[in-house]
Amino acid sequence: MRRVLSRRDFSKLALTSAVVPPVLLGNIQPEGTAGGTVDATTSRPDKANDEAANWQPVLPGIWKASFGKPEKFTPVRLRFREPAHEALKRLPELSKCPISPTGIRAQQTERGYLLKIDLAAHELVYGLGLQLLSFIQRGTKKTLRTNADPRADSGDSHAPVPFYVTTGGYGVLIDSARYSRFYLGRMTREDAQRQREAPPASARPVAIARELLPQGYFDQRFDEPSEVVVETPRAAGVDVYVFGGPTMREAVQRYNLFSGGGCLPPRWGLGFWYRCDAGYDQQQVLDLAAEFRRSGIPLDVIGLEPHWQSQTYSCSFLWNRTFPDPAGMLRTLASQGFHLNLWEHAFTHPSSPIHTALGPYSGNFEVWGGLTPDFLSAEARKIFADFHEKEHVALGVTGYKLDECDNSDFTGGWSFPECTQFPSGVDGEQMHSLFGLAYQETIESIFRRRNLRTYQQVRCSNALAAPFPFVLYSDLYDHRQYIRGLVNCGFSGLLWGPEVREAENEEDLIRRLQLVCLSPLAMVDAWFLKNPPWKQVKPEANNAGQFAPGWQELETKCRKVIGLRMRLIPYLYSAFVRYHEEGVPPFRALVMDYSADPRVWHVEDQFMVGDSLMVAPVTAGVSKRDLYLPKGDWIDFWTGKSYPGEHRVTMDVPLTVIPIFVKTGTLLPRAEPATHAGDPATRRLTVKVYGDGSLPFTLYEDDDFTTDALHGNYNRVSLTWDNTGKIGHVERTGQGDYPKYQITAWEQV
Amino acid sequence: MRRVLSRRDFSKLALTSAVVPPVLLGNIQPEGTAGGTVDATTSRPDKANDEAANWQPVLPGIWKASFGKPEKFTPVRLRFREPAHEALKRLPELSKCPISPTGIRAQQTERGYLLKIDLAAHELVYGLGLQLLSFIQRGTKKTLRTNADPRADSGDSHAPVPFYVTTGGYGVLIDSARYSRFYLGRMTREDAQRQREAPPASARPVAIARELLPQGYFDQRFDEPSEVVVETPRAAGVDVYVFGGPTMREAVQRYNLFSGGGCLPPRWGLGFWYRCDAGYDQQQVLDLAAEFRRSGIPLDVIGLEPHWQSQTYSCSFLWNRTFPDPAGMLRTLASQGFHLNLWEHAFTHPSSPIHTALGPYSGNFEVWGGLTPDFLSAEARKIFADFHEKEHVALGVTGYKLDECDNSDFTGGWSFPECTQFPSGVDGEQMHSLFGLAYQETIESIFRRRNLRTYQQVRCSNALAAPFPFVLYSDLYDHRQYIRGLVNCGFSGLLWGPEVREAENEEDLIRRLQLVCLSPLAMVDAWFLKNPPWKQVKPEANNAGQFAPGWQELETKCRKVIGLRMRLIPYLYSAFVRYHEEGVPPFRALVMDYSADPRVWHVEDQFMVGDSLMVAPVTAGVSKRDLYLPKGDWIDFWTGKSYPGEHRVTMDVPLTVIPIFVKTGTLLPRAEPATHAGDPATRRLTVKVYGDGSLPFTLYEDDDFTTDALHGNYNRVSLTWDNTGKIGHVERTGQGDYPKYQITAWEQV
């Protein structure tokens, strides 16, 4: 048992004869001014040592201010992708930066660079990358440090991103590769004094939020105007970018488009993935593939874990002798519709043929006896990419799992120290922030130059990552954290795959599988299991070939869960096109779509998939699920029952059910069951009509392999429903010679 | 279930056709040269950008080298106590700094100041302050950041200390108040290359350690020479102090004497402590005191939790109206032999009478709406101390519990930000390192000027803390971590009290109580319980006045455990005198006394109490205890059975038994049962004679209240045993008019 009461609760107990300072209720934005200037009600005189912002419009709805002398190595200054200029023009026009010139105050100190950015009373903050341990960021302190083991809510993350969005309807990017510290809702005594002296604004009661948010938010002076204080260590200046809305979702869209637009995976990437036992040899991989097809469990991608290489920790990138004919294996797999993904990390072992060449382009500390390539140098990227292309991609490998690129303090202190020096000029701290991005770029460049689309895994990322077709994963494993990660990633241009690995029991396996099949990447990672987990969840028995009694029943359940994933591929693909073209995250928190409703502000365990589906995942041990339905009517995906929005619902959740609600009006295409995304069945669709079917839907046809679709080369298939005539219409635009969708039926729900 | 195998285990599986780099076995120190220069076998040419050490002897066996331009605000430069010059002269003479001028390399970088300090193969590192999550520090990475919630083994600690000791028999202090990063056993490629080029030294196999240490140590290139890499952020230079041995314990002694010598608590501080329900009013406190005396459970110190104050979080330091006559209460308590300890933190609420005066001497961020006094300024210390003296100490309060002075990232981000500016010139980062020390000094100065000894609690400390009569505690609560904390603190001049708070059940309560009663401060913290936990461990029932059936039996058991503490006070007091006079930690790891035996290198769950007792605590749920007995014969405290040293023992541990072994030859004084340390019974002693009784023992008599004893003013009572005549001898030196020890019996065990 941990302590029963927080000692800080004392401040609220009645016993004290407390002298409570007057609660300040000023500076609340009137409703409807979201996206307006934050400091509308306060006149902030510039201070002698504060630098005011000179906001320069840089792209539609995006402003930049440079303070001091910004550093050379930052995510934006090193950007690998151009902004999506045209797409940005299609967003609502904004005339004015949402933060006024005095709404941000900058100051160089002996420690680095300090920013203070206004935060209104009741304004909540989200984002900062893959935060597994908290959702609302106001009231917290976060150091954005790349770390594989975020065991505490300190900001440590596989993918910290110095970008936040607020319920005020704008986003802020602090363009730095440093471990910046964010104090979200703190003020100096001087600033607090200035607030107190300012005329109070009219208070809008936030009774609903007060009722729903954990009490902690109110401890944190949530009712008062405050600041986001950001300290960027060592820097003598920093660029700040502000992304206007007017809503939070549009701010995120602008950020993603500024990054270059969201990635668009090939359909096979949206199929099912399975990482097989690390000890498998070539024949065992082929046998596994055959077994999947025999059992009818869908599978698109087989992932190999470390032992495909001759040497790991650090890596040789050479095929192990247990894979005597990788080219032949890849041909066989391809002919059966499989893709192959290879595990690796970048630390290069002396036995690797590229070790010598990489030497001059590596950091000055070894990791596991290997070199750390300086991926910020074009030379290192070329040496690394060329070798990978020749050895793997040319043979048919379609992606990698880029492991261990995220540093660690907690598991043996591996990875390069922060004091490492790299030939490009960055130090280890900066490199930890940039390593994942540059590694993704290095690997993706291979596919780009071969005109191939890809979808891969990576354990580290940072700002401007949206265009990279990589999905984050973790070696942590808490199911609730995995749900939160999925919800949080949408704020920061990241994709998160809550991979299924160990399972406590059959229930846990199913619950985790249900979530992963409604995530950016649907994968079971069975690297420690000789047989699929549905044959036996207990590792020892599994590896001894002892299958659970009646395992076929569990397999059937899993096949069904995975089957749903396959049937949703056309829907998911359209959501990703929207990510690519408009920057709308395919998976996102409710607050991004419904930020005006304070009842969704704290909802960290439900999320939107595309524009029409709302998912409320369930963890093992739970038999009733309490969830909130936002504005509009919603229809239970499983029962067809309709529910009014702006209500809480408590539902029974038998093991077969992960709550999915469909927005009324939706036209939802569902494919026929298929074994893999290349199966023609995935293009034969039934359109489910929900409610009046008034929300048109667009499908996209393309060649699915080349990068053509990334340039907008596809046919659009528009679905509309005539609710009077009860008839559906299909309209195809574009003449591309691509595999065609076939609408085989329309079904009213 | 977390992952079943570490992925890093792959590097050791047989499947790979690995090209393994030659294991380097050079640079091992020949036996018997502990304390010699670390780099004896390697000639290290200075590099152009490396600064070599110019070791200056500063005190006997202590050397200093200044690199670059050290900062103004560091533990040594701000030291509050003089070194114990005379005591240092009594330690073995050393002619040469254990680290040669080229055994440490320093470099200024753009990030701060970088040190690389040689580490021999198989040389293990300990220390770095109150580390709750690891023991051997080689192979880890630690950022020495003050933090209340060390949830991961990253260096976060209530009391990080930039001082380490090694099995090489020396200690190193990096004198900085920055969050320095220690990479313990990492090298640059360049340094590694230099090592490879050096002629290999003869290898001493460390077969025993290899067998006993967790495999992880060998993953970390434990067999190779390496370096401790220390990065001190922002600094342009740093002072390094090296403390010679020749053994590890003597290195620690020198460090403690350099700090000013260990503290010497008054006897009442070594008695039993009880922090009562936070809601108690004056009468309830008096009732509780009476109840303790009635029930015969020993008690010396009553601790009040926040509600004694009119306002907390932040604090007014004013008595609450529920304490209408604090002076009267204190008189009554004193007359019954009780001491009163007051909870507080330093953050000063606007309702406090000192708020205005402190304003100019405070940091520029508020904490819980209160000021953070700049305790590095004499003015703030004076304002704070004067008020405390007048309001509390003058009334009879004998100590405080200095809470929340340790920062937090994880529980709401309270405390002042690292970017805080203080009038003295330090920033928030430095202040977090120094705050605990300066706060202790502020409070202790009150007692010093009143010529009173004291013993108190504090939640934050750092380097050179040994002379402060404060014991650390934590709001974390893992029992194994608490044991590790106790063992680790001895390396760094700290005292740790593993307070008993919640208990899962009766067994847990007893097990925790057994540990705390053999620790620097024996306390139950029942701030959330209306009644003592032995009446009911379940908080709800306890607070509802529902006592557990048969609670009297549990109370009896607890009385017995606490009774042992009381009987050991004379023994413990002598151990503290040795801490004060010679710097020998009263509670310490086995490796400090037996560092030549590799079988104790990893022992983190046994510890020495004084020179004669070795304790192996037991946690709930354990019924057999495996432990190691170092060199020499040992006698079971409970059964009198003798065991040979250098053996492992597995023993049954019924709930009444915490394994205690007595070194053979020991003369162990045991007092008569007493209700408090002022009870004359604590001076009536039976001397237990273990084995041949050949180890003399010295008792100390002093006035127990004034600071006289701190200056060596006491009578020494020497106990010796004539084993032939089977007769004990008592010899008193000194004529002080102090309460006298009476030896009532000698008993051979």
Side-chain angles (χ1 to χ4, degrees):
Chain A
M1 183 175 63
R2 299 299 301 268
R3 56 170 29 186
V4 283
L5 266 178
S6 158
R7 221 178 226 109
R8 278 170 284 285
D9 292 342
F10 288 134
S11 57
K12 287 182 289 293
L13 295 186
L15 254 180
T16 65
S17 57
V19 178
V20 180
V23 173
L24 301 174
L25 287 164
N27 285 31
I28 298 160
Q29 292 178 63
E31 281 195 279
T33 62
T37 64
V38 173
D39 70 339
T41 58
T42 322
S43 162
R44 286 187 179 276
D46 282 356
K47 284 171 48 201
N49 60 348
D50 278 353
E51 202 182 324
N54 179 16
W55 293 120
Q56 299 295 323
V58 288
L59 282 165
I62 304 176
W63 289 264
K64 172 184 175 182
S66 286
F67 298 95
K69 283 192 183 169
E71 296 190 291
K72 186 178 163 195
F73 300 103
T74 71
V76 176
R77 282 164 191 253
L78 290 170
R79 60 185 309 149
F80 294 108
R81 296 285 185 280
E82 279 297 298
H85 294 279
E86 291 308 309
L88 278 165
K89 289 181 191 156
R90 290 189 287 267
L91 284 170
E93 255 184 70
L94 297 175
S95 61
K96 199 177 154 197
C97 179
I99 300 180
S100 81
T102 55
I104 179 168
R105 292 158 299 285
Q107 202 184 107
Q108 180 157 12
T109 73
E110 286 178 12
R111 302 175 44 79
Y113 213 77
L114 197 66
L115 296 171
K116 296 186 270 179
I117 309 169
D118 280 1
L119 204 56
H122 303 148
E123 184 180 5
L124 293 186
V125 180
Y126 302 85
L128 300 178
L130 172 61
Q131 296 296 332
L132 291 172
L133 293 154
S134 56
F135 179 59
I136 299 176
Q137 298 302 333
R138 181 170 179 156
T140 76
K141 169 183 170 186
K142 292 279 183 299
T143 303
L144 295 194
R145 193 171 67 129
T146 307
N147 205 301
D149 294 303
R151 295 189 191 165
D153 187 28
S154 58
D156 279 357
S157 165
H158 304 271
V161 178
F163 172 72
Y164 66 83
V165 287
T166 88
T167 47
Y170 63 92
V172 179
L173 173 67
I174 312 296
D175 183 33
S176 174
R178 296 286 174 195
Y179 294 172
S180 293
R181 278 207 177 82
F182 285 69
Y183 303 88
L184 300 130
R186 292 297 297 261
M187 329 179 67
T188 60
R189 288 158 59 195
E190 186 176 40
D191 291 327
Q193 189 56 34
R194 191 160 48 196
Q195 290 282 13
R196 286 188 192 110
E197 285 163 4
S202 65
R204 173 166 69 99
V206 190
I208 298 170
R210 189 173 278 282
E211 192 181 307
L212 292 173
L213 290 179
Q215 182 58 37
Y217 294 110
F218 297 96
D219 290 353
Q220 299 293 337
R221 300 184 159 193
F222 172 63
D223 282 331
E224 302 173 33
S226 187
E227 295 176 337
V228 174
V229 176
V230 187
E231 185 177 46
T232 301
R234 300 188 173 82
V238 74
D239 293 326
V240 178
Y241 294 83
V242 175
F243 300 83
T247 71
M248 191 192 284
R249 194 175 82 185
E250 280 148 327
V252 170
Q253 286 179 254
R254 282 186 218 270
Y255 169 73
N256 287 338
L257 294 172
F258 176 74
S259 307
C263 69
L264 179 58
R267 274 175 190 76
W268 59 258
L270 301 179
F272 189 66
W273 296 48
Y274 186 90
R275 304 203 76 89
C276 61
D277 186 283
Y280 271 15
D281 63 17
Q282 181 174 312
Q283 190 54 48
Q284 287 171 303
V285 171
L286 291 168
D287 292 349
L288 179 92
E291 170 60 21
F292 262 87
R293 286 291 179 263
R294 196 158 40 233
S295 68
I297 296 179
L299 187 61
D300 275 280
V301 183
I302 295 174
L304 303 187
E305 288 287 298
H307 274 302
W308 70 268
Q309 283 187 58
S310 64
Q311 168 66 42
T312 58
Y313 288 84
S314 50
C315 288
S316 66
F317 313 114
L318 292 171
W319 291 94
N320 202 340
R321 58 187 162 76
T322 52
F323 288 78
D325 180 21
M329 174 186 68
L330 279 154
R331 275 193 304 274
T332 304
L333 291 175
S335 72
Q336 296 163 354
F338 293 106
H339 291 262
L340 194 72
N341 175 294
L342 298 181
W343 173 98
E344 69 164 42
H345 60 226
F347 309 114
T348 304
H349 190 261
S351 68
S352 176
I354 56 176
H355 184 268
T356 306
L358 277 177
Y361 307 109
S362 298
N364 68 331
F365 276 83
E366 290 186 347
V367 179
W368 293 309
L371 297 174
T372 305
D374 183 350
F375 285 137
L376 299 189
S377 86
E379 292 86 351
R381 289 204 299 274
K382 182 168 164 31
I383 294 164
F384 203 85
D386 286 356
F387 186 74
H388 280 62
E389 179 167 19
K390 178 170 74 76
E391 286 288 313
H392 321 130
V393 182
L395 274 47
V397 167
T398 52
Y400 294 88
K401 169 179 172 180
L402 309 182
D403 207 24
E404 314 283 21
C405 45
D406 47 9
N407 198 18
S408 176
D409 280 358
F410 309 136
T411 43
W414 54 269
S415 206
F416 47 90
E418 277 77 2
C419 58
T420 304
Q421 293 163 353
F422 286 89
S424 62
V426 292
D427 62 30
E429 174 189 14
Q430 294 168 304
M431 187 56 110
H432 278 306
S433 300
L434 299 168
F435 197 68
L437 294 171
Y439 193 6
Q440 291 172 65
E441 164 63 14
T442 305
I443 291 295
E444 212 234 335
S445 72
I446 307 167
F447 297 90
R448 214 161 57 229
R449 67 195 185 196
R450 296 177 76 90
N451 193 26
L452 286 175
R453 266 199 284 165
T454 177
Y455 202 47
Q456 317 193 33
Q457 294 189 276
V458 68
R459 218 173 69 189
C460 170
S461 203
N462 204 283
L464 309 199
F468 289 110
F470 285 81
V471 179
L472 290 159
Y473 63 98
S474 166
D475 274 8
L476 302 172
Y477 203 56
D478 181 271
H479 198 172
R480 281 170 211 279
Q481 285 180 25
Y482 271 30
I483 296 166
R484 191 185 291 118
L486 183 51
V487 175
N488 271 340
C489 272
F491 295 117
S492 306
L494 301 173
L495 299 173
W496 166 251
E499 69 175 25
V500 179
R501 217 163 48 225
E502 299 91 35
E504 290 284 349
N505 48 41
E506 300 186 356
E507 183 194 6
D508 191 32
L509 177 66
I510 293 282
R511 289 307 192 191
R512 288 177 178 272
L513 196 62
Q514 287 170 338
L515 173 67
V516 88
C517 283
L518 290 162
S519 85
L521 195 146
M523 187 178 78
V524 166
D525 179 0
W527 68 272
F528 58 99
L529 294 179
K530 287 211 168 39
N531 299 285
W534 37 84
K535 295 196 172 176
Q536 173 59 269
V537 295
K538 298 195 176 70
E540 258 182 59
N542 185 305
N543 288 327
Q546 295 156 4
F547 298 165
W551 62 267
Q552 293 87 346
E553 198 184 320
L554 180 60
E555 188 190 63
T556 300
K557 285 181 192 156
C558 291
R559 189 189 295 113
K560 206 170 157 190
V561 175
I562 300 166
L564 174 64
R565 169 73 174 197
M566 302 306 289
R567 304 183 75 160
L568 288 176
I569 288 179
Y571 173 79
L572 293 172
Y573 192 75
S574 291
F576 270 97
V577 170
R578 199 161 175 221
Y579 187 36
H580 180 63
E581 295 208 324
E582 301 173 46
V584 178
F587 299 83
R588 59 189 183 272
L590 300 191
V591 70
M592 225 190 281
D593 286 30
Y594 302 95
S595 61
D597 181 355
R599 280 167 295 197
V600 304
W601 288 358
H602 72 298
V603 178
E604 58 175 19
D605 59 356
Q606 301 176 218
F607 55 93
M608 298 299 297
V609 179
D611 296 324
S612 298
L613 302 184
M614 195 273 288
V615 175
V618 178
T619 54
V622 172
S623 60
K624 276 194 186 300
R625 177 68 160 89
D626 181 53
L627 55 91
Y628 180 70
L629 294 168
K631 201 169 182 172
D633 288 340
W634 296 86
I635 297 159
D636 184 324
F637 178 84
W638 301 102
T639 64
K641 190 179 159 190
S642 188
Y643 291 83
E646 300 188 270
H647 277 92
R648 295 203 74 80
V649 177
T650 301
M651 20 189 334
D652 291 324
V653 280
L655 189 52
T656 50
V657 168
I658 173 172
I660 305 175
F661 286 84
V662 187
K663 196 182 282 179
T664 194
T666 292
L667 300 179
L668 181 70
R670 287 178 68 182
E672 287 183 7
T675 57
H676 62 286
D679 184 336
T682 62
R683 316 236 177 201
R684 289 195 295 269
L685 311 180
T686 299
V687 178
K688 296 270 190 180
V689 180
Y690 289 86
D692 65 2
S694 59
L695 303 173
F697 190 84
T698 305
L699 292 159
Y700 298 85
E701 295 168 348
D702 56 49
D703 67 20
D704 213 19
F705 291 98
T706 76
T707 59
D708 274 18
L710 297 179
H711 309 298
N713 293 325
Y714 29 57
N715 302 334
R716 290 163 197 268
V717 182
S718 295
L719 307 178
T720 49
W721 174 253
D722 171 0
N723 201 38
T724 316
K726 304 294 178 198
I727 188 163
H729 296 286
V730 181
E731 195 183 329
R732 179 171 283 106
T733 332
Q735 301 298 324
D737 182 19
Y738 305 130
K740 299 281 186 297
Y741 280 116
Q742 244 185 289
I743 311 299
T744 57
W746 297 74
E747 277 178 18
Q748 278 191 279
V749 178
Chain B
M1 188 175 59
R2 299 298 302 267
R3 58 169 29 188
V4 281
L5 266 179
S6 159
R7 225 182 222 104
R8 278 171 283 287
D9 293 340
F10 287 134
S11 56
K12 285 182 291 294
L13 296 185
L15 253 179
T16 64
S17 56
V19 179
V20 179
V23 173
L24 300 175
L25 288 165
N27 285 31
I28 298 159
Q29 292 178 65
E31 282 195 277
T33 63
T37 65
V38 172
D39 69 341
T41 58
T42 321
S43 162
R44 288 187 178 276
D46 282 356
K47 283 172 49 202
N49 60 348
D50 278 355
E51 201 181 326
N54 178 16
W55 293 120
Q56 300 294 324
V58 288
L59 282 165
I62 305 176
W63 288 264
K64 171 184 175 182
S66 286
F67 298 96
K69 283 190 182 168
E71 296 191 291
K72 185 178 163 194
F73 301 102
T74 70
V76 176
R77 283 164 191 253
L78 290 170
R79 61 184 310 150
F80 294 108
R81 294 287 184 281
E82 278 297 299
H85 294 279
E86 291 307 310
L88 277 165
K89 289 181 194 159
R90 289 190 287 268
L91 284 172
E93 255 185 69
L94 296 176
S95 61
K96 200 176 152 196
C97 179
I99 299 180
S100 82
T102 55
I104 179 168
R105 292 158 299 284
Q107 203 184 107
Q108 180 158 12
T109 73
E110 286 178 10
R111 302 173 47 77
Y113 213 76
L114 196 66
L115 296 172
K116 296 187 270 180
I117 309 169
D118 280 0
L119 205 55
H122 303 149
E123 185 179 4
L124 294 185
V125 179
Y126 302 86
L128 301 178
L130 172 61
Q131 297 296 331
L132 291 173
L133 294 154
S134 56
F135 179 60
I136 298 177
Q137 298 303 332
R138 180 168 180 157
T140 75
K141 170 183 170 185
K142 291 281 183 299
T143 304
L144 295 193
R145 193 170 68 128
T146 308
N147 204 301
D149 295 302
R151 295 189 192 165
D153 186 27
S154 58
D156 280 357
S157 166
H158 304 271
V161 178
F163 172 71
Y164 66 84
V165 287
T166 87
T167 47
Y170 63 93
V172 179
L173 172 67
I174 313 295
D175 182 35
S176 174
R178 297 287 174 193
Y179 295 172
S180 293
R181 276 204 179 86
F182 286 68
Y183 303 89
L184 300 131
R186 292 297 297 262
M187 324 178 73
T188 60
R189 288 160 58 195
E190 190 177 36
D191 291 326
Q193 187 58 34
R194 192 161 46 197
Q195 290 282 13
R196 286 188 193 112
E197 285 162 6
S202 65
R204 175 164 67 99
V206 189
I208 298 169
R210 188 172 279 282
E211 192 182 307
L212 292 173
L213 292 178
Q215 183 56 40
Y217 295 110
F218 296 96
D219 290 353
Q220 299 292 337
R221 298 186 162 193
F222 171 62
D223 282 330
E224 301 173 35
S226 187
E227 295 176 339
V228 174
V229 177
V230 187
E231 186 178 47
T232 301
R234 297 185 177 85
V238 75
D239 293 326
V240 178
Y241 294 83
V242 175
F243 300 83
T247 71
M248 192 193 281
R249 193 175 84 185
E250 280 148 328
V252 170
Q253 285 180 256
R254 283 185 217 270
Y255 168 75
N256 286 339
L257 294 173
F258 176 75
S259 306
C263 69
L264 178 60
R267 273 176 191 73
W268 60 259
L270 300 179
F272 189 65
W273 296 47
Y274 185 90
R275 305 203 75 88
C276 63
D277 188 284
Y280 271 16
D281 61 19
Q282 181 175 313
Q283 190 53 49
Q284 287 170 303
V285 171
L286 290 168
D287 292 348
L288 178 92
E291 169 61 21
F292 262 86
R293 287 290 179 264
R294 195 157 42 233
S295 68
I297 295 180
L299 187 62
D300 274 281
V301 184
I302 296 175
L304 302 187
E305 289 289 297
H307 273 301
W308 70 268
Q309 283 187 60
S310 65
Q311 168 66 41
T312 59
Y313 286 86
S314 48
C315 288
S316 66
F317 313 114
L318 292 170
W319 292 93
N320 202 341
R321 58 187 161 76
T322 52
F323 289 79
D325 179 20
M329 172 185 70
L330 278 153
R331 274 193 305 275
T332 306
L333 291 176
S335 72
Q336 297 163 354
F338 293 105
H339 291 261
L340 195 73
N341 175 295
L342 298 181
W343 172 97
E344 69 165 42
H345 61 227
F347 308 114
T348 304
H349 190 262
S351 68
S352 176
I354 56 175
H355 185 268
T356 305
L358 276 178
Y361 307 108
S362 299
N364 69 330
F365 277 82
E366 290 185 345
V367 179
W368 292 310
L371 297 174
T372 305
D374 183 351
F375 285 137
L376 299 189
S377 86
E379 292 86 351
R381 288 203 300 273
K382 182 170 166 30
I383 294 164
F384 203 85
D386 286 355
F387 187 73
H388 279 63
E389 180 168 18
K390 178 171 71 76
E391 285 289 313
H392 322 131
V393 182
L395 274 49
V397 168
T398 50
Y400 295 88
K401 168 180 171 180
L402 309 182
D403 207 23
E404 315 282 21
C405 46
D406 47 8
N407 197 18
S408 177
D409 280 359
F410 309 136
T411 41
W414 53 269
S415 204
F416 47 88
E418 277 78 2
C419 58
T420 305
Q421 292 162 355
F422 286 89
S424 61
V426 294
D427 62 31
E429 173 189 14
Q430 295 169 302
M431 187 56 113
H432 279 306
S433 300
L434 300 168
F435 197 69
L437 294 172
Y439 193 6
Q440 290 173 64
E441 164 62 16
T442 305
I443 292 295
E444 212 236 332
S445 72
I446 307 168
F447 297 90
R448 215 160 55 228
R449 68 197 186 196
R450 295 176 77 89
N451 191 26
L452 286 176
R453 266 199 285 165
T454 175
Y455 202 46
Q456 317 194 32
Q457 293 190 277
V458 67
R459 218 173 68 188
C460 171
S461 202
N462 204 282
L464 308 199
F468 289 110
F470 284 82
V471 180
L472 290 159
Y473 64 98
S474 166
D475 274 7
L476 302 172
Y477 203 54
D478 181 271
H479 198 174
R480 280 169 210 280
Q481 286 179 25
Y482 271 30
I483 296 167
R484 192 185 293 117
L486 184 50
V487 176
N488 271 340
C489 272
F491 295 117
S492 307
L494 301 173
L495 298 173
W496 166 251
E499 69 175 26
V500 179
R501 216 164 49 226
E502 301 90 33
E504 290 284 347
N505 48 42
E506 299 186 356
E507 182 194 5
D508 191 32
L509 177 66
I510 293 283
R511 289 308 193 190
R512 289 176 177 273
L513 196 62
Q514 286 170 336
L515 174 67
V516 89
C517 283
L518 289 163
S519 84
L521 196 147
M523 186 177 80
V524 167
D525 180 1
W527 68 271
F528 57 99
L529 293 180
K530 288 208 168 40
N531 297 285
W534 39 82
K535 295 195 173 175
Q536 173 60 270
V537 295
K538 297 193 177 73
E540 259 183 56
N542 184 305
N543 289 327
Q546 295 155 6
F547 298 166
W551 62 268
Q552 292 88 344
E553 198 183 321
L554 180 61
E555 188 188 62
T556 300
K557 285 181 192 157
C558 291
R559 189 189 295 112
K560 205 171 158 191
V561 175
I562 300 166
L564 175 63
R565 169 74 175 194
M566 302 305 289
R567 304 183 76 161
L568 288 176
I569 288 179
Y571 173 79
L572 293 171
Y573 191 75
S574 290
F576 270 96
V577 171
R578 198 162 176 221
Y579 186 37
H580 180 62
E581 296 209 322
E582 301 174 46
V584 178
F587 299 83
R588 59 190 183 273
L590 300 193
V591 70
M592 224 188 284
D593 285 29
Y594 302 95
S595 61
D597 181 355
R599 280 166 294 198
V600 305
W601 289 357
H602 72 299
V603 178
E604 58 174 19
D605 59 357
Q606 301 176 219
F607 56 92
M608 297 301 298
V609 179
D611 296 324
S612 298
L613 302 183
M614 195 274 289
V615 175
V618 178
T619 54
V622 172
S623 61
K624 276 194 187 300
R625 177 69 158 88
D626 181 53
L627 55 89
Y628 179 72
L629 294 169
K631 203 168 177 172
D633 287 342
W634 295 87
I635 297 159
D636 185 324
F637 179 84
W638 302 102
T639 64
K641 192 179 158 192
S642 187
Y643 291 83
E646 300 187 272
H647 277 93
R648 295 203 75 78
V649 177
T650 301
M651 19 190 333
D652 290 324
V653 280
L655 189 53
T656 49
V657 168
I658 174 172
I660 305 175
F661 285 86
V662 186
K663 196 183 283 181
T664 193
T666 292
L667 301 179
L668 182 70
R670 288 179 67 179
E672 285 184 10
T675 57
H676 62 287
D679 185 335
T682 63
R683 315 232 178 204
R684 287 195 296 270
L685 312 180
T686 298
V687 179
K688 296 269 189 179
V689 180
Y690 288 85
D692 64 3
S694 59
L695 303 172
F697 190 84
T698 305
L699 292 159
Y700 298 86
E701 293 169 351
D702 56 49
D703 69 18
D704 215 19
F705 290 98
T706 76
T707 59
D708 275 16
L710 297 179
H711 308 299
N713 294 325
Y714 29 57
N715 302 334
R716 290 164 198 266
V717 182
S718 294
L719 308 178
T720 48
W721 173 251
D722 170 0
N723 201 39
T724 315
K726 304 291 176 200
I727 189 162
H729 297 286
V730 181
E731 194 183 329
R732 179 171 282 107
T733 332
Q735 302 297 325
D737 183 21
Y738 306 129
K740 298 281 186 295
Y741 280 116
Q742 243 185 291
I743 311 299
T744 57
W746 296 74
E747 278 179 18
Q748 276 191 282
V749 179

